[in-house]
Amino acid sequence: MKRRAVIMGIIVSLIMFLFIGRLMWLQLLPGTATSTAPVTHARDNWKRLAVVQRQRSLVLDTGRGDFVDRYGRPMTGETYMTAALFPVRPTIRGSEEQLAALAKLFNVTYTELNNRWNAIREPEFWHEPKQNNPIRLTSSQVEKINGLKVEGIRVLPYRNRYLPGFDAKHIIGFTSQHPEWLKEKHKEKLTFGKRKISEQVGGSGLEKSLENLLHGIGETSVSYFIDGRNSPLHGLDLRIVQPKNNYYPLQVVTTIDLLLQNKIEHYADKQGLKEGAIVVLDSKNADIVAMVSRPKLKPGQFRSGDGSEWENHALKAVEPGSIFKLVTAASAIENGVVERHERFHCDGEYGKYGLSCWRDGGHGDISLQEGLAQSCNIVFATLAERLSGKQLQKTAKSLGVIGLIGWHSSKAYGPFPHPFRLLEEEEDGRVFSSELIDEEGEKIDGGAMAQSGIGQRDVRMSPLQAANLIVTLLNGGRVKEPRLVSEIRYANGQRMAVLKRRDAAVGSGRIKLATAKSLLRGMEAVVDHGTGRSIRQGQWAVAGKSGTAETVKAGVARNHQWFAGYGPVQAPRYAVAVLAANRSPGSSHQATKLFRGVMDIAAKHEAVKSKPAT
């Protein structure tokens, strides 16, 4: 019996030693270092986990960088006071009178307050019904809630990303949860707790293209300590945890004029622009001053229907129609296939390829400039057939309407370790499909050339490219890269990076200054007595080119209506492109009317800016 007892004692002792050894291992064994984290000790993790078991946390500020417009006006980010509920036991929250007074402040019944509070398992902000953001408390409400001394509720500062009354904008984009992307791009940071699988990341626009900078270095959260019975641990109360770095979050300075942007958005909606875009560029440097896309961006409702509401139509390449006649005219002049005083005869029918002019009976004998003013299909089909595919392609490239035109870096730049584009959603402009043209550009038959010359068939252009085409002509053929961000700043105001204005590398030379001037005169004629004469009257004298492109959507014939131009004519300030997409054939030309309205808004806006402050 003694021997058996000894053996059992030894076994029990060994088991105890094993448990003690395991605890020592977990408590004392050093952790491992990584390239992004210093050496940590397992005992620190145990301490942290012990604390986590008795704390409940709530994120007050994600630490994400914000956007401002060119004048420093905030486009995202505001802090206001709100109320947070913590999951404490009902019996310790307070008296019935205290809770009834709290419910009245929240504009709910005593029963509803208790039911909502009892249902939570983690800390939550108090929300109004059908509202995404936490309740916004007035100073009076803050004082009353604090005076009630209800246990388990705290008034806290909350950082709201999107300002009240601020319509979501495609240029800024949206944030959403994207665990797959985080696992692929930031696996190590997830492992070491530097990022969370549930966090919001950029889903489109600048929120996406600048994600790695905007994410910042960590969130600000508040911890509320409770025991195993969900009672507060008095003495610990609340603890604020936040990054200790004066350089973050960053601030992105955009080229947008927020007041002008908002005015144009309101005007587009008032005029009933259902689908399309409006782009306003600075005529001297191609900075993007305003960019509107419709349908509206609806945060939390993406990819509903056909998904068109989350697409930035200002960057989407579609058939340009007669807008492209500017390119065809430039190519004809540059390649010498048209005489200076040549006259073309238009009787309404081209006589081949099924082409005809939009005007019944035609325009009679007409010059190139008048052909541009009247948007005569016969003139431009004729010119296109005189050109080779290579010549038309080269001119289009010289004017920046092939490929992508938005500001980009082809190599590491400042805080960006890899090549990147500010406008990631931008689509390529093109003249021909790859099946039609070989390296020499000579596989184009007459029909394809004639149709391409009037902006149909495979020709594609985005509103951004159309507006930039106008800027190119105004600058004597110099192609620029439209810029949406001018600089990125640290939280203390110091500059992290400056994104300088620059010319685009088109690689095929510039058109002649005389060619650019000839096209500008043609656009003046469009508004003076051509297809745009309905918009002659307004705040500014303007010039431009209208267009209507035939297309098909869901098997139904539709038209893309365009107008691209500039104003004021004598001293151009803005280049504007308007696309009213997928309109019913025969409907009024909405793009032309919108262009006039946008120019009038811009003129009034400039007049207000120029007035001296009183």
Side-chain angles (χ1 to χ4, degrees), residues 206-226:
L206 291 177
E207 293 276 24
K208 182 180 179 183
S209 60
L210 299 177
E211 166 62 29
N212 289 335
L213 291 177
L214 291 171
H215 171 259
I217 58 172
E219 62 193 22
T220 297
S221 62
V222 59
S223 296
Y224 186 86
F225 295 88
I226 58 178

Side-chain angles (χ1 to χ4, degrees), residues 278-281 466-467 470 563-566 574-578 594-595 598-599:
I278 301 171
V279 177
V280 181
L281 301 183
I470 304 302
F563 200 98
Y566 61 95
Y574 294 118
V576 175
V578 179
L594 285 169
F595 175 86
V598 168
M599 277 300 186

